[in-house]
Amino acid sequence: MSATRFRTRGTLAALLALTVGLTACSATDSTGGSDIDWDALGHEELVELARQEGEVVVYAFTSRIAAVEKSFEAEYPGIDVIASDISSSELITRLDTEHRSRSATADVAYVSDAPVVVTELMADGVLEPYLPSRVADAVPAEYREPLLANRLSTKVLMYNEQAHPDGAPVSNLWELTEPRWAGKVVLVDPNVRGDYLDLATELSLRSDEMAAAYADHFGREIALDDGVPDAGLQFLKNLYGNDAVLVDDTDTVNAAIGAVGQQDPPLGFTSYSDRRDNEDEGWALQVAAGVAPSNGIVFPAYLGVTTNSANPAAARLLIDYMMGDDSETGGTAYEPFYVAGDYPTRTDLTAPAGALPLGELGAWQIDPEASAERRDEVADFLLTIQ
């Protein structure tokens, strides 16, 4: 292990004492190992305890967890990573169900859908935070609480840059409600995926900006339909009424927008970082920058330890690992997330090349608590317009 990777402190005597303490504490202790002062452990001490546990189970909302599994096991032989790649909505439901039934569950959750994480998983004691001391000073406060975020992800308007080499074919979201784009806007149904519901909710929360964008585009103040409470939801009603195409997964969105060889491809909302697959998949995805009032949302990808973790040391070691090493790119540990269109939360990492800086992206950064207060109302409204 390189000297630059982790800073180690503590003594062999402390390690032996902790080992005895762990032996006395059941591996299935429902406190998640709370008798141990995790912040006081040196790295080698944590590794030793994790090796005694021998495995770590992680539920993740991204397929990139497979690359983490491979590299982590190479870095720490003897610790088996058991990874499940499932949507955040399913992940949250599974964690909550397993917590309530006190059945076997994951040790680590890698999850988006921040509003639900804050109001349900954290409020109900399903997850607890862990902030590795070596990265604490490099992570801004808003990404340390309520859980540690290792990156910011996106749901933004994307287009086919092969078909539109001069840039995005729209400059205002309200253009998507006009006949030119009838049946040619693709997104995952917000009532299927939490991050798309967060996008819909943010449109409602930003209703003043949506109203101003409407006036700029159409030259008149917006008039809301009966039963429509704000300009953001009016946009969604108009978009759905313009035959927006709702699908069940992001890969379908990406292929519809990005497939090369199309003369008049649709636009759609998807993850900016999915451009990383352009070459392999035969796509030409590009972000629609400069769209008024915004092209979409930015949101945290959280790491948390389950309260009922059977492998609390290995859980914390994996979270530490997924924050990257001490190099300027995060090294092999962070490589799956060090891609254009994802934004590291660590300020000591250089930004991945090939994408707009976060400050120039133009996406709204969600407020999980504000979104949580509005989400159910938005979800119910969407059911009335489908």
Side-chain angles (χ1 to χ4, degrees):
M1 185 179 304
S2 69
T4 61
R5 184 131 191 255
F6 293 107
R7 293 187 291 274
T8 304
R9 65 178 186 272
T11 64
L12 180 60
L15 173 60
L16 292 173
L18 286 164
T19 301
V20 171
L22 183 67
T23 303
C25 179
S26 169
T28 58
D29 182 359
S30 64
T31 67
S34 61
D35 290 341
I36 297 175
D37 184 355
W38 299 107
D39 294 333
L41 289 182
H43 180 67
E44 294 303 333
E45 296 165 345
L46 184 62
V47 172
E48 179 59 29
L49 295 180
R51 285 204 168 110
Q52 291 182 34
E53 293 169 351
E55 69 177 27
V56 55
V57 180
V58 55
Y59 295 165
F61 75 105
T62 171
S63 61
R64 285 182 268 181
I65 196 63
V68 174
E69 177 180 358
K70 182 177 180 180
S71 64
F72 180 91
E73 290 178 347
E75 182 74 24
Y76 300 109
I79 306 175
D80 184 24
V81 178
I82 303 171
S84 295
D85 165 24
I86 52 181
S87 72
S88 275
S89 299
E90 182 183 349
L91 192 161
I92 289 167
T93 298
R94 184 182 295 186
L95 285 175
D96 183 63
T97 300
E98 291 168 351
H99 176 78
R100 292 178 186 279
S101 65
R102 295 188 173 273
S103 59
T105 189
D107 301 298
V108 174
Y110 187 38
V111 59
S112 61
D113 209 352
V116 180
V117 172
V118 170
T119 59
E120 295 184 19
L121 297 186
M122 297 299 293
D124 294 342
V126 178
L127 294 178
E128 59 187 51
Y130 177 63
L131 175 62
S133 59
R134 69 181 183 88
V135 301
D137 290 342
V139 180
E142 63 264 36
Y143 305 132
R144 298 196 300 253
E145 298 176 351
L147 292 173
L148 178 63
N150 81 326
R151 64 183 170 103
L152 301 179
S153 189
T154 62
K155 280 292 174 284
V156 289
L157 187 65
M158 303 280 281
Y159 69 97
N160 187 308
E161 63 181 346
Q162 183 188 60
H164 301 285
D166 296 328
V170 299
S171 60
N172 189 304
L173 284 182
W174 288 98
E175 294 178 54
L176 303 180
T177 67
E178 297 180 316
R180 163 72 178 87
W181 295 104
K184 299 188 74 63
V185 178
V186 187
L187 67 158
V188 173
D189 185 343
N191 281 325
V192 171
R193 278 277 298 267
D195 43 10
Y196 283 86
L197 182 55
D198 292 341
L199 171 61
T201 301
E202 197 66 23
L203 289 165
S204 179
L205 290 169
R206 305 279 185 158
S207 59
D208 288 348
E209 294 175 59
M210 292 298 294
Y214 180 96
D216 287 343
H217 182 62
F218 292 109
R220 62 182 183 274
E221 297 301 314
I222 191 169
L224 302 179
D225 293 346
D226 291 342
V228 179
D230 61 61
L233 296 183
Q234 185 68 59
F235 168 78
L236 289 167
K237 181 179 180 181
N238 293 5
L239 183 68
Y240 280 32
N242 205 33
D243 295 329
V245 180
L246 303 181
V247 299
D248 290 334
D249 63 86
T250 299
D251 285 344
T252 301
V253 178
N254 292 341
I257 303 166
V260 298
Q262 299 185 77
Q263 294 300 311
D264 189 23
L267 305 180
F269 292 92
T270 185
S271 300
Y272 188 9
S273 61
D274 284 349
R275 290 192 71 242
R276 72 186 185 277
D277 294 327
N278 274 358
E279 183 174 349
D280 290 343
E281 299 291 344
W283 296 338
L285 291 170
Q286 184 56 276
V287 67
V291 173
S294 173
N295 54 15
I297 59 171
V298 173
F299 54 90
Y302 284 139
L303 289 162
V305 180
T306 58
T307 303
N308 295 322
S309 171
N311 303 292
R316 287 164 173 82
L317 182 62
L318 180 61
I319 288 175
D320 190 311
Y321 183 79
M322 289 177 67
M323 291 303 295
D325 67 16
D326 292 338
S327 67
E328 64 179 12
T329 65
T332 302
Y334 201 74
E335 186 175 355
F337 315 112
Y338 194 77
V339 299
D342 278 334
Y343 297 91
T345 56
R346 282 177 52 185
T347 58
D348 59 345
L349 297 185
T350 58
L356 288 173
L358 183 59
E360 298 177 18
L361 179 62
W364 291 315
Q365 189 154 291
I366 71 168
D367 178 336
E369 293 182 350
S371 184
E373 292 181 3
R374 187 70 62 86
R375 274 169 55 110
D376 288 348
E377 176 186 337
V378 172
D380 289 343
F381 176 82
L382 292 175
L383 292 175
T384 71
I385 63 174
Q386 286 184 258

